[in-house]
Amino acid sequence: MKLLVKNNYFLQLLILSLLTLGVVLLFLTYQTYGNWEFALLLRGKKLLAFLIVGLLTSFSTITFQTISQNHFLTPSILGFDSLYVLIQTLLFFMMGSNYQREPIIFFLNVILMVLISVLLFSTLLKKEGQDLFLLLMIGMILGTLFKSMSTFLQVMMDPNEYDKLQGKLFASFSNVEVSLLTLVIPVVIVLVILFFKASPKLDVLHLGLEQAINLGINVNRFRKYLLFLISLAVALATALIGPITFLGFIVANVTYQWIGTYKHTYLFISGALLSVLFLVSGQFLVEQVFHMNTTLSVVIEFSGGLYFIWKLLKRKGGQV
């Protein structure tokens, strides 16, 4: 029976892998008109960004939902995107518009987001059993606070600086710095390894906090460690391409329904594949169907917002 179940999971991952590979090849080769080198160079940079963001977003969101014991909560929904806007505005306000060209400043941006987000998430998740809608309300209030502070600073900025800042506050896979991608790749590899090493304990933690404690896991220490990994992963993804609020929520919840297990090794692999599949297919639609009249972030936010409301209504109606 166990062998049959494992084969079923393997078959699901194989189907998902082939589907993702097919979409990636279509994205790379469609309408290249013989100019393969230019097309692959241009689209290859985007694909590398999709892979990095897909890995970081899926791993961090699935882990965050496990330690929060809730499939509705994600770092972005609890105010991380507004925090990113605030930090970007602060850096522009203090250092000017040229700061993003410096890798040192990029990592300073990441460090600030990690420090503040660890404090934010650990505070929100400190009390066990908090009501979902209360946590969502707290996240909304914090997001409003961060946005108000950002708006206050933006009003005092030079208009030219403000225009340049606006370009940094929306998710974009087209303007990713290749040099930053190469610097981030080693960190991403280490994070992926650490998430996979934490998978067995995450499987136990999913049973409940009391069960995890009874089975010998130091839950407080383990959650702090995971919060650091989550914050670093989300900070890197957000600093690279900008905020995408609902990507993690969509990927995590579809992953739970697709793979049908709570073993985090399978969840991580499936989530990463689904994330890349959604991003690449979404970008393909934006470029080839909508002819760049919209952006990938708008498509994700619109569909993700509808999906989030639908899940909330189902939960409130007692169907979930």
Side-chain angles (χ1 to χ4, degrees):
M1 178 62 76
K2 289 184 178 180
L3 181 60
L4 182 62
V5 172
K6 286 184 178 180
N7 287 337
N8 184 43
Y9 295 151
F10 178 78
L11 179 61
Q12 288 176 305
L13 291 176
L14 179 61
I15 293 172
L16 187 56
S17 300
L18 292 175
L19 182 60
T20 304
L21 180 60
V23 172
V24 167
L25 291 176
L26 178 65
F27 173 74
L28 288 175
T29 59
Y30 186 75
Q31 289 187 351
T32 54
Y33 303 111
N35 196 350
W36 290 88
E37 184 176 354
F38 175 76
L40 292 178
L41 181 64
L42 179 64
R43 297 176 184 176
K45 182 182 73 169
K46 294 180 183 178
L47 179 60
L48 183 57
F50 291 147
L51 292 172
I52 291 174
V53 172
L55 282 169
L56 295 176
T57 302
S58 57
F59 280 48
S60 59
T61 303
I62 291 170
T63 304
F64 187 80
Q65 292 185 346
T66 297
I67 66 175
S68 65
Q69 301 284 297
N70 197 298
H71 289 176
F72 283 85
L73 299 181
T74 68
S76 296
I77 291 174
L78 290 182
F80 194 94
D81 289 351
S82 300
L83 174 63
Y84 167 78
V85 172
L86 176 59
I87 292 176
Q88 288 285 80
T89 304
L90 279 171
L91 290 175
F92 257 85
F93 187 79
M94 293 185 297
M95 308 180 70
S97 59
N98 294 323
Y99 82 91
Q100 279 284 15
R101 298 294 177 181
E102 299 293 335
I104 296 176
I105 305 301
F106 168 80
F107 284 107
L108 174 61
N109 190 1
V110 172
I111 291 170
L112 286 174
M113 285 193 287
V114 168
L115 292 176
I116 299 174
S117 60
V118 166
L119 178 62
L120 171 64
F121 297 152
S122 59
T123 302
L124 286 175
L125 301 178
K126 195 171 184 180
K127 295 182 179 180
E128 311 301 341
Q130 285 187 331
D131 182 74
L132 166 65
F133 295 99
L134 176 60
L135 285 172
L136 290 176
M137 184 179 297
I138 293 173
M140 182 179 67
I141 293 171
L142 287 174
T144 302
L145 173 63
F146 294 151
K147 287 179 182 177
S148 299
M149 296 170 65
S150 302
T151 302
F152 175 75
L153 293 174
Q154 290 169 10
V155 167
M156 296 190 296
M157 290 177 61
D158 180 87
N160 295 324
E161 295 290 329
Y162 175 76
D163 287 339
K164 295 176 182 178
L165 171 63
Q166 293 305 302
K168 298 291 183 180
L169 301 184
F170 297 95
S172 173
F173 290 90
S174 302
N175 300 321
V176 180
E177 292 279 348
V178 178
S179 59
L180 293 180
L181 289 176
T182 55
L183 288 174
V184 165
I185 287 174
V187 184
V188 174
I189 293 173
V190 172
L191 280 172
V192 168
I193 294 172
L194 293 177
F195 275 119
F196 271 117
K197 288 184 68 175
S199 293
K201 288 186 178 181
L202 282 168
D203 295 341
V204 177
L205 189 61
H206 188 269
L207 299 174
L209 299 178
E210 293 183 0
Q211 289 84 347
I213 293 172
N214 292 334
L215 291 172
I217 296 179
N218 189 330
V219 172
N220 288 332
R221 182 185 300 174
F222 186 52
R223 289 178 75 180
K224 290 178 182 177
Y225 168 70
L226 291 175
L227 282 172
F228 171 75
L229 295 184
I230 292 167
S231 299
L232 180 56
V234 179
L236 284 171
T238 308
L240 273 176
I241 54 97
I244 303 181
T245 304
F246 288 108
L247 176 62
F249 176 79
I250 298 173
V251 168
N253 282 274
V254 173
T255 298
Y256 300 139
Q257 295 178 356
W258 169 261
I259 203 67
T261 181
Y262 290 101
K263 292 184 70 66
H264 283 75
T265 301
Y266 296 116
L267 289 176
F268 285 153
I269 298 173
S270 179
L273 289 171
L274 278 171
S275 188
V276 174
L277 175 63
F278 290 158
L279 289 170
V280 174
S281 57
Q283 185 65 28
F284 181 83
L285 289 175
V286 167
E287 293 181 1
Q288 307 300 334
V289 178
F290 298 113
H291 304 292
M292 303 301 290
N293 289 322
T294 185
T295 62
L296 178 58
S297 60
V298 171
V299 173
I300 293 175
E301 300 304 330
F302 177 74
S303 57
L306 292 178
Y307 184 52
F308 182 78
I309 293 172
W310 177 71
K311 293 284 287 185
L312 274 179
L313 292 175
K314 284 188 67 176
R315 176 188 173 95
K316 195 171 183 180
Q319 299 177 32
V320 176

